[in-house]
Amino acid sequence: MSAIATVLIANRGEIACRVIDTCQRMGLTSVAVYSDTDRHARHVRLADQAVCIGPAPAQASYLNIERIIEAAQHSRADAIHPGYGFLAENAAFAQAVIDAGLIFVGPSPNTIEVMGSKAQAKALLGPQGVPLIPGFHGQAPSDEALIAEAHAVGWPLMVKAAAGGGGKGMRVVHDPAALADSLHAARREAQAAFGDDRLILERYLPRPRHIEAQILGDVHGGVVHLYERDCSSQRRHQKVIEEAPAAGLSDGLRRGLYDAAIKAAKAVGYVGAGTVEFLVDEDDASFYFLEMNTRLQVEHPVTEMITGLDLVEWQLKLAMGASVPAQHDIPPPTGHAFEARVYAEDPEAGFLPATGTVGTLHWPADARIDSGVDAGDAIGIDYDPMIAKVIVHGPDRAQALGQLQHALAGCFIDGVTTNLGFLTALSHDPAMVAGTVDTGHLDRALPDLLGPADLTREHTEVLAGALWARYCDRRTEQRLGTNPWAQAAGWRLGLAATGQVWLTQSLGELSPPSDTPSSPASSAEPTAVRVFDHGREVQWGEASERHVLTWHALHWRTLGEHTQVDVRVSIDETPVDARAHLHPRGHLEWVSHGRRHRVNIQQQWLGGKDDATATGLVTAPMPGQVTAVHASPDQPVQAGELLALMEAMKMELSIRAPFDGTVGSVWVAVGDRIEANAKLIEVVPAPPDNGQAD
């Protein structure tokens, strides 16, 4: 048995952190590699050692085989773990590791090469009795040859890159007249993605499920399965939410799928942890081999949750020559698990990657979080924008899905746009609840998942203004106590306190950079929401009628810089149950009935407008820079009139008059950098109209 004492992880982000965690638990020294831009990344901070391997572009660093081998030799590593992505399924890299006298934590270069080609894999596995989708998997050097084969395959059909996956080089063709153009486009995309423009043809299955089996293989020829995962929840062939085990499979189909996965692994002498992927026809009566991933999968944690096994630990053990246990010694699956992938991306802008610096980052305590990002870390343009994976486990599928919904509601991230709202909606989607999601469901259901929320815009902003007022009351009370003379919310004898906030709803997420194509429409004029009697009544915009709010329950919890509150409230007798997050920089969001609402408080004035002797102290809603000042002392202003502009986190914020009156003091000038809650401008209210002529 080959001993391993030091492991270099040839990767970054979440998977590098995941491997480091197991290495530390096993008493192994972990070595991180990093590019110049990742110098202060989380995986670098966690590792025992770290070696720089080049500049930011992946080709010059994480895909630079020579530099990675040099880093392993420099750090005296015994083995290299490739993680997933980058060089994880690169046969030349695996061979280079072996040639350098190091242990490659994964299968042999030959296995990677054979299973990395869909055409070769299917040519090998068909004679072994592994079910294949009807199609043409041979060598066709020209488009003309493929067009000739297409008629035998039948319509509709799918064009696929022979050498890759992830949806690249893939086209669905319904009309024979469109085949030539589809072949040309698929070849071009496959060449760009994989350096190989070979294509295969397969019969298109309209609504299949994507079910995969986890296997372990050893150097002695032993192979076992660790049950299956359902990865049908995909958007454009990219997985979003995964679960284990798969719901609704018959025992016979499940056993057949396991047997086929073991046959596939044995056919290539598989060593290590791998995944055999299948498409299950919509009637669940048949399944077909799709491909084999010769590495650890992103979704491996759901298998760990139902088996209690550490797959990274098993990868390392198998690389050292250990034997797999007998199949009957594998723990039976316990309960059900879900995983949701949290990305820095903007669902409202076509899921374009988003960039920025993560501000507040809070994860729920009742979920497993695999993450490569901490608060203060930057999300750049050079690499995959995954922030974390939220993983839960419950005694059955219904309870596990409820735990996922609860965990997603407990996540709070600001400073960068994320897909948390999309994940929340998807976790409540009827097909997800029923366990009937197929691989095309998300693309079909996308308009509904990104569509209008359960509350109207008016009710959403009414609740935001009222909740923000309650939050400010609570913060004031924490600072100053309950002395009414110290209250900043406009307490006075015999008259209910009032206040006003200006807010904007974000269609996507909080704090998007407004000068990038990934930012949602956040430049709309803010809505003025006037709050009475500590959030018991609210006037929205120019409406003359007030909404009545009845607060049934408020449970506050301080989580570092931000506050979480579980809310039960009725708005005009419409009940709302929500988990809300509020941040002193003016960020407010909550999850209610499967939708995530996000609001930016652009400006607030919490004082007694009804008291003619009061003054309006306009303060900064968040840290930023003053870009324009339109107010001067003694200037008459009307409610809502623009007083100044700020730029904060690349958003332009409008500072407006809280009521009719006269400008008093002006404390800022263009160019000033200011902190949150800093004094900006004072507005003295106009005297009340007593109905008498001048």
Side-chain angles (χ1 to χ4, degrees):
M1 179 178 290
S2 302
I4 296 176
T6 300
V7 180
L8 181 138
I9 301 99
N11 220 295
R12 66 177 301 280
E14 172 269 325
I15 185 57
C17 296
R18 168 71 188 87
V19 176
I20 289 168
D21 179 69
T22 291
C23 286
Q24 292 177 341
R25 189 174 54 77
M26 294 177 67
L28 306 178
T29 299
S30 59
V31 181
V33 293
Y34 62 91
S35 67
D36 290 338
T37 195
D38 272 344
R39 186 172 300 276
H40 303 293
R42 186 172 189 263
H43 74 284
V44 176
R45 299 193 297 269
L46 291 180
D48 298 310
Q49 302 177 39
V51 182
C52 183
I53 54 173
Q59 291 288 348
S61 52
Y62 296 106
L63 292 174
N64 189 324
I65 295 176
E66 183 178 350
R67 294 298 298 273
I68 291 172
I69 298 295
E70 289 174 355
Q73 293 169 333
H74 174 77
S75 59
R76 299 184 182 278
D78 307 299
I80 293 181
H81 192 299
Y84 54 70
F86 290 132
L87 295 168
E89 293 179 284
N90 186 304
F93 176 59
Q95 189 62 57
V97 172
I98 294 169
D99 291 344
L102 304 169
I103 297 172
F104 180 74
V105 182
S108 70
N110 181 67
T111 296
I112 295 172
E113 183 173 2
V114 170
M115 300 309 282
S117 166
K118 290 183 175 67
Q120 288 189 62
K122 292 178 179 182
L124 173 66
L125 299 182
Q128 304 295 322
V130 177
L132 304 180
I133 301 174
F136 175 74
H137 308 122
Q139 299 293 329
S142 67
D143 289 355
E144 290 74 15
L146 285 171
I147 291 171
E149 296 290 346
H151 297 287
V153 174
W155 308 92
L157 60 76
M158 181 170 282
V159 179
K160 287 186 176 182
K168 293 181 172 59
M170 185 180 294
R171 296 290 188 279
V172 177
V173 184
H174 294 271
D175 183 356
L179 181 57
D181 288 344
S182 296
L183 290 171
H184 181 70
R187 280 196 193 279
R188 185 173 62 249
E189 193 172 279
Q191 181 64 41
F194 313 116
D196 186 338
D197 70 352
R198 289 175 300 149
L199 302 174
I200 62 172
L201 304 176
E202 290 182 343
R203 177 72 60 83
Y204 174 63
L205 304 179
R207 296 196 174 188
R209 295 172 66 187
H210 181 124
I211 310 295
E212 59 188 34
Q214 176 70 57
I215 59 95
L216 298 176
D218 62 32
V219 294
H220 313 291
V223 179
V224 294
H225 70 79
L226 300 182
Y227 314 108
E228 85 282 354
R229 301 183 286 257
D230 190 333
C231 304
S232 303
S233 174
Q234 301 177 11
R235 189 192 65 82
R236 297 178 186 171
H237 308 291
Q238 298 295 320
K239 300 168 187 174
V240 180
I241 292 178
E242 302 99 343
E243 60 182 292
L249 295 186
S250 68
D251 289 342
L253 189 144
R254 191 173 267 117
R255 286 194 300 270
L257 191 144
Y258 297 157
D259 290 344
I262 290 175
K263 286 179 181 177
K266 287 187 173 182
V268 290
Y270 198 89
V271 176
T275 296
V276 186
E277 300 185 340
F278 300 92
L279 290 181
V280 176
D281 205 357
E282 58 183 322
D283 60 5
D284 284 350
S286 55
F287 65 92
Y288 305 100
F289 173 80
L290 180 62
E291 63 181 345
M292 184 175 193
N293 292 126
T294 55
R295 54 169 169 80
L296 197 66
Q297 292 282 83
V298 179
E299 59 272 18
H300 76 274
V302 293
T303 295
E304 294 183 325
M305 299 298 272
I306 66 169
T307 62
L309 301 175
D310 182 332
L311 294 190
V312 175
E313 178 181 354
W314 268 105
Q315 282 186 297
L316 293 167
K317 286 180 176 178
L318 293 169
M320 288 188 276
S323 299
V324 297
Q327 187 68 60
H328 59 76
D329 290 331
I330 300 294
T334 303
H336 205 95
F338 281 92
E339 172 186 291
R341 304 186 188 190
V342 181
Y343 280 92
E345 64 183 10
D346 184 359
E348 294 290 340
F351 293 87
L352 286 175
T355 60
T357 299
V358 176
T360 300
L361 181 64
H362 172 73
W363 302 116
D366 53 355
R368 167 178 163 179
I369 305 297
D370 285 9
S371 177
V373 175
D374 286 329
D377 287 350
I379 307 293
I381 62 173
D382 297 297
Y383 313 116
D384 183 89
M386 180 185 283
I387 296 175
K389 301 182 302 196
V390 178
I391 306 131
V392 298
H393 180 261
D396 56 39
R397 188 179 189 276
Q399 293 183 69
L401 184 58
Q403 289 181 14
L404 179 66
Q405 295 165 348
H406 188 265
L408 291 172
C411 297
F412 181 78
I413 305 170
D414 72 354
V416 64
T417 303
T418 76
N419 66 337
L420 275 172
F422 172 68
L423 292 174
T424 301
L426 176 57
S427 70
H428 288 82
D429 180 75
M432 177 64 71
V433 173
T436 58
V437 172
D438 61 72
T439 57
H441 174 74
L442 262 66
D443 292 327
R444 297 192 304 271
L446 204 57
D448 292 331
L449 294 172
L450 298 178
D454 56 313
L455 296 179
T456 65
R457 176 190 171 192
E458 185 168 339
H459 272 184
T460 299
E461 294 182 349
V462 162
L463 179 56
L467 191 57
W468 187 257
R470 300 293 293 252
Y471 168 68
C472 291
D473 283 351
R474 185 173 184 271
R475 291 179 65 209
T476 300
E477 184 175 313
Q478 289 174 332
R479 290 199 314 269
L480 303 175
T482 57
N483 178 1
W485 309 109
Q487 297 305 301
W491 183 92
R492 79 297 314 274
L493 185 63
L495 188 63
T498 66
Q500 191 156 275
V501 296
W502 283 259
L503 53 83
T504 56
Q505 284 198 61
S506 174
L507 299 177
E509 305 293 336
L510 286 177
S511 304
S514 59
D515 56 354
T516 68
S518 65
S519 54
S522 58
S523 59
E525 282 296 303
T527 304
V529 176
R530 192 173 176 203
V531 183
F532 302 84
D533 196 17
H534 304 283
R536 293 181 177 86
E537 292 188 21
V538 174
Q539 180 177 314
W540 180 78
E542 300 299 322
S544 58
E545 295 183 359
R546 297 183 185 181
H547 297 276
V548 177
L549 285 83
T550 304
W551 299 91
H552 305 295
L554 283 168
H555 299 289
W556 302 89
R557 183 183 177 201
T558 301
L559 301 170
E561 197 178 6
H562 90 285
T563 299
Q564 178 179 292
V565 55
D566 290 320
V567 181
R568 177 167 293 173
V569 63
S570 295
I571 308 174
D572 301 330
E573 300 184 353
T574 298
V576 178
D577 290 292
R579 166 159 288 184
H581 299 266
L582 304 100
H583 195 282
R585 286 199 294 268
H587 299 166
L588 184 154
E589 68 174 77
W590 68 91
V591 174
S592 171
H593 305 295
R595 296 291 182 174
R596 201 174 194 97
H597 308 264
R598 309 200 72 165
V599 171
N600 289 327
I601 304 297
Q602 288 210 346
Q603 183 181 340
Q604 68 181 44
W605 173 76
L606 299 175
K609 180 183 173 183
D610 295 298
D611 181 354
T613 65
T615 61
L617 185 63
V618 181
T619 60
M622 61 182 72
Q625 184 172 22
V626 178
T627 57
V629 176
H630 300 292
S632 57
D634 300 325
Q635 173 187 337
V637 293
Q638 295 182 335
E641 185 173 335
L642 183 65
L643 302 179
L645 293 173
M646 283 179 56
E647 184 179 281
M649 303 179 79
K650 295 189 178 181
M651 291 190 303
E652 184 176 81
L653 304 180
S654 301
I655 308 301
R656 299 181 180 275
F659 41 69
D660 296 347
T662 303
V663 176
S665 300
V666 177
W667 288 287
V668 293
V670 174
D672 287 355
R673 293 186 177 276
I674 51 178
E675 296 299 320
N677 301 313
K679 295 189 299 183
L680 302 178
I681 297 168
E682 175 190 41
V683 178
V684 180
D689 184 359
N690 58 15
Q692 298 180 359
D694 293 341

